[in-house]
């Protein structure tokens, strides 16, 4: 299952708090039908019925079936640059 770094948890909570007051809001990662293997990340008010939901300390991530499969052994990290731009990075999970 996809894991989240501490940075990702904080950035996701900040992003979703700015977007809405709903406790159900999270980021959604979904496959793109026209580009196999490509993923699209967006802020979503709630998960789709078939989404896998990951909730870590209030940071909610919704994965459609394709994204859940692609990201099964991955970790999501996030950073904010000096201009306030957010970037996400996918890495292999480290088993220490």
């Amino acid at each position: 299952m996809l894991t989240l770094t501490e940075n990702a948890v904080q950035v996701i909570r900040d992003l979703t708090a700015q977007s809405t007051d709903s406790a159900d809001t999270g980021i959604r990662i979904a496959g793109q039908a026209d580009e196999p293997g490509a993923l699209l990340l967006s802020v979503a008010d709630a998960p789709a019925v078939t989404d896998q939901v990951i909730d870590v300390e209030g940071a909610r991530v919704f994965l459609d079936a394709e994204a859940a499969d692609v990201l099964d052994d991955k970790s999501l990290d996030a950073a904010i640059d000096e201009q306030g731009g957010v970037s996400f990075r996918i890495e292999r999970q480290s088993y220490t």
Side-chain angles (χ1 to χ4, degrees):
M1 179 187 308
L2 177 70
T3 61
L4 308 178
T5 66
E6 289 180 31
N7 288 341
V9 168
Q10 186 60 50
V11 168
I12 292 167
R13 285 195 312 226
D14 290 348
L15 277 175
T16 56
Q18 293 171 13
S19 299
T20 181
D21 292 331
S22 172
D24 293 331
T25 302
I27 63 166
R28 185 166 194 268
I29 304 174
Q32 292 185 298
D34 57 341
E35 292 186 52
L39 300 174
L40 178 67
L41 185 144
S42 60
V43 175
D45 291 333
V49 174
T50 59
D51 283 352
Q52 178 183 65
V53 177
I54 299 168
D55 189 330
V56 178
E57 299 174 18
R60 294 170 47 93
V61 179
F62 315 135
L63 303 173
D64 77 353
E66 181 180 351
D69 186 49
V70 169
L71 300 175
D72 185 51
D73 62 346
K74 305 293 188 294
S75 180
L76 181 66
D77 192 16
I80 300 176
D81 65 24
E82 296 169 357
Q83 290 77 35
V86 175
S87 63
F88 287 95
R89 183 175 62 221
I90 304 288
E91 301 175 335
R92 288 205 175 277
Q93 290 178 6
S94 60
Y95 300 98
T96 55

